[in-house]
Amino acid sequence: MSCSVEEVRLSLPHIELAAHLFGPQDGLPVIALHGWLDNANSFARLAPKLKGLRILALDMAGHGHSDHRPAGAGYGLPDYAHDVLQVAQQMGWEKFSLLGHSLGAIVSVIIAGALPERINRLALIDGLIPPLGEPEGAAERMGAALQAQLTQSSKRKPVYTDMDRAVEARMKGVVAVSREAAELLAQRGLMPVPGGYTWRSDSRLTLASATRLTRAQALSFVNAIRCPAQLVVAEEGMLAQNQTLLESVPFEVTALPGGHHLHLNDEAGASAVADCFNRFFAVP
């Protein structure tokens, strides 16, 4: 991780986002998107190992050092996709590649499927399609989501007396990560408050989606992808148990040892993912 990284801020028409910029100026343009409640440091181990790429690793809206969306706005997949397209426009990248982990992989698939002419290559880490819904439950889901939005403002984020307690909480989160991974995410994700530290992320990120795609709708994005694509599946991650879905993927799928954050948990995992993607990006 001794690679030079530049901290940048992107003032978009609707929001200001923070990012890390890796790699040579003449490298192939890549926008990297992290997972839910993570931040740009998700790529701190991986990005320096990728060759010949100009990687812009975003703090997605509501995460890390990026702005939160204004009151009344949400964090839907189309909103994230819009952010990415605005970022590409500001960078002057008419065509670019996407590197996504988890939520970031899902957003990447949405963009690559909706606007296939804009994307050169698609590199995905343990993420593909969003959680699915059935048409019959749409009204109930919408009602529950609306009610949760009304009560969200009264909730307070936990405050940890010191950074180590926050790191330990992140290690035991919804998706467990190694201590080193939690420390990297905490470097960018924590902020001081009276009584200790809390996470910078927007508390609205924990709200359930008001709508969900059906399986057919989600797979329509996967099947609309026209660029070379590769999916890395963590053998102990979230996708490995869904063999039916993986067998339907119309591009290369590679299984590697490790958990959901295999690219961040340790150097061995980061190196394995980097070896895979270096071969992928090197193919003409």
Side-chain angles (χ1 to χ4, degrees):
M1 291 184 294
S2 59
C3 161
S4 106
V5 56
E6 180 183 353
E7 178 80 31
V8 297
R9 292 198 69 82
L10 301 146
S11 296
L12 308 182
H14 62 296
I15 197 170
E16 186 167 295
L17 302 182
H20 278 162
L21 192 56
F22 298 87
Q25 290 189 5
D26 61 350
L28 298 173
V30 178
I31 296 177
L33 305 175
H34 59 75
W36 179 62
L37 297 182
D38 292 343
N39 54 59
N41 265 6
S42 178
F43 300 101
R45 287 189 190 273
L46 177 61
K49 300 179 190 300
L50 298 177
K51 301 171 184 176
L53 306 181
R54 183 68 161 169
I55 301 173
L56 185 73
L58 288 179
D59 283 336
M60 293 166 70
H63 297 76
H65 289 282
S66 287
D67 286 351
H68 295 182
R69 298 207 191 278
Y75 289 92
L77 296 176
D79 302 304
Y80 286 125
H82 176 68
D83 293 344
V84 172
L85 295 170
Q86 289 281 358
V87 165
Q89 184 168 312
Q90 185 163 128
M91 295 295 292
W93 295 346
E94 178 60 28
K95 294 195 70 172
F96 54 95
S97 296
L98 288 164
L99 166 61
H101 169 243
S102 194
L103 169 63
I106 294 167
V107 174
S108 297
V109 168
I110 295 292
I111 297 169
L115 295 168
E117 71 280 1
R118 297 291 307 275
I119 308 304
N120 286 321
R121 287 182 177 267
L122 186 63
L124 308 173
I125 305 170
D126 219 43
L128 184 66
I129 60 174
L132 303 176
E134 295 300 331
E136 298 77 14
E140 183 179 358
R141 168 169 289 281
M142 178 73 74
L146 291 172
Q147 189 59 47
Q149 289 172 14
L150 292 174
T151 59
Q152 181 69 20
S153 60
S154 63
K155 296 181 179 179
R156 295 291 177 264
K157 290 193 285 188
V159 174
Y160 304 93
T161 54
D162 55 58
M163 293 185 70
D164 195 56
R165 290 179 184 270
V167 166
E168 290 176 357
R170 182 63 188 85
M171 290 171 62
K172 302 171 184 175
V174 175
V175 179
V177 298
S178 68
R179 174 170 288 277
E180 289 184 2
E183 288 173 346
L184 283 166
L185 295 172
Q187 286 174 13
R188 197 163 180 82
L190 287 178
M191 64 180 182
V193 293
Y197 296 86
T198 194
W199 294 94
R200 295 178 182 274
S201 53
D202 191 335
S203 59
R204 290 176 293 172
L205 293 167
T206 62
L207 290 171
S209 300
T211 60
R212 283 188 174 180
L213 300 178
T214 65
R215 181 181 180 87
Q217 288 173 325
L219 290 178
S220 74
F221 289 92
V222 176
N223 293 325
I225 293 168
R226 296 292 175 262
C227 66
Q230 180 160 40
L231 168 62
V232 165
V233 174
E235 291 179 351
E236 300 166 37
M238 297 177 126
L239 285 178
Q241 303 305 314
N242 196 341
Q243 284 302 313
T244 302
L245 173 62
L246 294 177
E247 288 168 4
S248 71
V249 174
F251 44 79
E252 186 174 355
V253 177
T254 302
L256 293 177
H260 184 56
H261 286 75
L262 74 166
H263 66 298
L264 181 65
N265 275 333
D266 54 46
E267 285 296 315
S271 294
V273 175
D275 289 345
C276 184
F277 285 157
N278 277 326
R279 291 192 297 271
F280 170 66
F281 279 102
V283 175

